Amino acid sequence: MSRVQNLTIGPDEGDQRLDRWIKRRFPHLQQGGIEKMCRKGEIRVEGGRVKSNTRVEVGQSVRIPPLPDANEVDNRPRDMKKADIELIQGCVIYKDDHVIAINKPAGLPTQGGSKQLRHVDGFAEALKFGYDEKPRLVHRLDKDTSGVLVLARTRMAAKSLTEAFRHRNTEKIYWALVAGVPIPKLGSIKYGLVKQGGHGAKGDNERMTCVHPKDVDKTFGAKRAHTDYTVLTSLADRTAWLAMTPVTGRTHQLRAHAAEIGHPIIGDGKYGTANVQDNPGDGWGAGMGEEVGRKLHLHARSLRIEHPETGKELWLKASLPPHMEKTWNLFGWAESHAPDNPFEGLL
């Protein structure tokens, strides 16, 4: 166990997330442990409390609490099973010297917590492909959302890609299966979002509550949110295949917005409540019966972003996960039925 350390951000270490800086200095630490030390105030920058995503600058002083030695840490995410290595490497849909993109499986978290040992960030050890360091996450997808997830292979690529996501210099298109058919079939949802606390010390089961646009500014903690959607096709009035694009990037934005307009995403146990159409009220959210699986039907279909090195447009596209592909086959739909950008010239 080490002693308390006060370290200085070096000349080539500025303008990066605190957790990334810590992992470079102490590679045996895991994300969940870093976040826990931040929450408890054990890690401080210039004497103040910080979050794991706080950005540090050259010359700043960082307090590091006593840390276990590398051989004392449970490194199971790094000591990967062969099946996990094959799983994550099989998810790669694009790779060059600067960027890796995967089609994240539904049910696999992007990052881990204190009790979560299987996650993309841990599996990234198997995505080094000859590099000394594992690729870095630059954005996230919810655990139960599948689709395009980008990782940076170098620090400079991470900085550029993070800036692109922060300033919304991206084009994201999601596919969703929802209960009923929204009217109008092309529209925008602009309800604000505010976090509604969950239960327990860690706030388990937190969810977002929608706030009318005119009430956002006077609602404490509320943030403006904007989602565009279009109906690609439907099955009578029972269900619809939506393309959705988040103009803003709030937590659970697409799921909360879809539920707010009365058309929750199929399989959404958090936002598909019992008072919306075609929901049996059995605790797992908006459903369609046994012929359609209970997994969340939300998929990050495509992402357009500027390449961090060449500056050229990088267009990434991910195929449907197995449970959604099964549903699409049941309804006679195909991925090829949807245009690459269904919003082009419409909004």
Side-chain angles (χ1 to χ4, degrees):
M1 181 74 72
S2 66
R3 298 180 178 180
V4 172
Q5 303 176 67
N6 288 287
L7 305 177
T8 301
I9 306 297
D12 61 344
E13 296 180 319
D15 192 23
Q16 64 174 307
R17 285 172 55 123
L18 173 63
D19 52 3
R20 295 299 181 195
W21 178 84
I22 292 174
K23 285 183 179 181
R24 289 174 65 89
R25 292 289 189 104
F26 307 98
H28 62 286
L29 296 181
Q30 298 298 315
Q31 183 70 26
I34 295 172
E35 292 180 357
K36 182 178 181 180
M37 287 186 285
C38 288
R39 287 196 302 269
K40 294 174 66 176
E42 295 175 341
I43 295 175
R44 291 177 177 257
V45 175
E46 294 294 304
R49 298 177 72 101
V50 287
K51 296 182 179 180
S52 61
N53 63 354
T54 297
R55 301 192 76 80
V56 294
E57 302 296 340
V58 174
Q60 287 184 321
S61 175
V62 183
R63 179 194 185 276
I64 302 294
L67 300 176
D69 295 332
N71 59 6
E72 297 176 350
V73 176
D74 183 355
N75 283 323
R76 277 176 286 177
R78 294 174 182 270
D79 184 17
M80 295 176 61
K81 297 179 180 179
K82 181 180 178 181
D84 290 336
I85 294 174
E86 293 176 348
L87 168 68
I88 198 66
Q89 290 184 348
C91 292
V92 175
I93 56 177
Y94 178 85
K95 175 170 69 73
D96 63 25
D97 291 340
H98 308 277
V99 177
I100 287 181
I102 67 170
N103 184 355
K104 188 188 83 65
L108 181 66
T110 302
Q111 291 179 297
S114 58
K115 296 182 180 180
Q116 182 57 253
L117 299 176
R118 300 182 75 254
H119 48 85
V120 173
D121 195 34
F123 286 0
E125 287 289 326
L127 300 177
K128 293 194 289 189
F129 297 113
Y131 278 39
D132 291 334
E133 296 183 5
K134 70 178 185 180
R136 302 161 170 83
L137 293 167
V138 293
H139 67 128
R140 296 179 59 181
L141 291 177
D142 288 348
K143 174 184 174 181
D144 294 320
T145 302
S146 58
V148 178
L149 184 71
V150 174
L151 300 93
R153 302 193 73 188
T154 68
R155 181 169 172 260
M156 294 307 297
K159 180 178 179 180
S160 176
L161 291 168
T162 299
E163 287 296 311
F165 281 102
R166 180 183 299 159
H167 296 295
R168 314 299 176 200
N169 295 329
T170 62
E171 177 191 277
K172 304 177 190 176
I173 294 178
Y174 289 74
W175 284 352
L177 184 72
V178 301
V181 182
I183 299 296
K185 293 188 175 182
L186 170 68
S188 297
I189 308 169
K190 297 184 178 181
Y191 284 94
L193 294 170
V194 62
K195 183 178 293 186
Q196 178 183 348
H199 57 76
K202 296 182 179 179
D204 295 336
N205 294 322
E206 284 185 341
R207 54 178 288 157
M208 306 302 288
T209 299
C210 287
V211 178
H212 193 280
K214 67 180 179 62
D215 295 326
V216 171
D217 292 338
K218 56 187 177 183
T219 301
F220 179 77
K223 296 181 179 179
R224 296 195 176 275
H226 179 175
T227 300
D228 292 330
Y229 75 87
T230 184
V231 175
L232 297 177
T233 190
S234 60
L235 186 67
D237 60 356
R238 184 163 172 74
T239 188
W241 170 8
L242 297 192
M244 307 179 78
T245 183
V247 179
T248 55
R250 310 302 184 196
T251 301
H252 295 173
Q253 177 177 317
L254 302 184
R255 297 164 63 185
H257 272 177
E260 183 65 20
I261 64 172
H263 301 282
I265 297 172
I266 298 300
D268 193 343
K270 186 180 288 286
Y271 294 96
T273 54
N275 61 351
V276 295
Q277 51 195 312
D278 296 315
N279 177 24
D282 59 2
W284 64 273
M288 295 191 64
E290 295 181 0
E291 68 273 13
V292 175
R294 296 186 176 189
K295 290 184 177 180
L296 182 71
H297 282 57
L298 179 62
H299 177 67
R301 168 60 173 178
S302 66
L303 171 69
R304 292 182 191 266
I305 193 169
E306 184 179 288
H307 191 281
E309 179 66 20
T310 67
K312 296 181 179 179
E313 181 183 82
L314 182 61
W315 180 44
L316 304 165
K317 184 166 63 174
S319 299
L320 288 171
H323 71 283
M324 290 182 68
E325 182 180 19
K326 181 179 179 180
T327 300
W328 262 234
N329 290 337
L330 176 68
F331 295 160
W333 300 342
E335 294 184 26
S336 59
H337 294 170
D340 290 337
N341 183 358
F343 299 98
E344 190 170 11
L346 297 178
L347 294 170

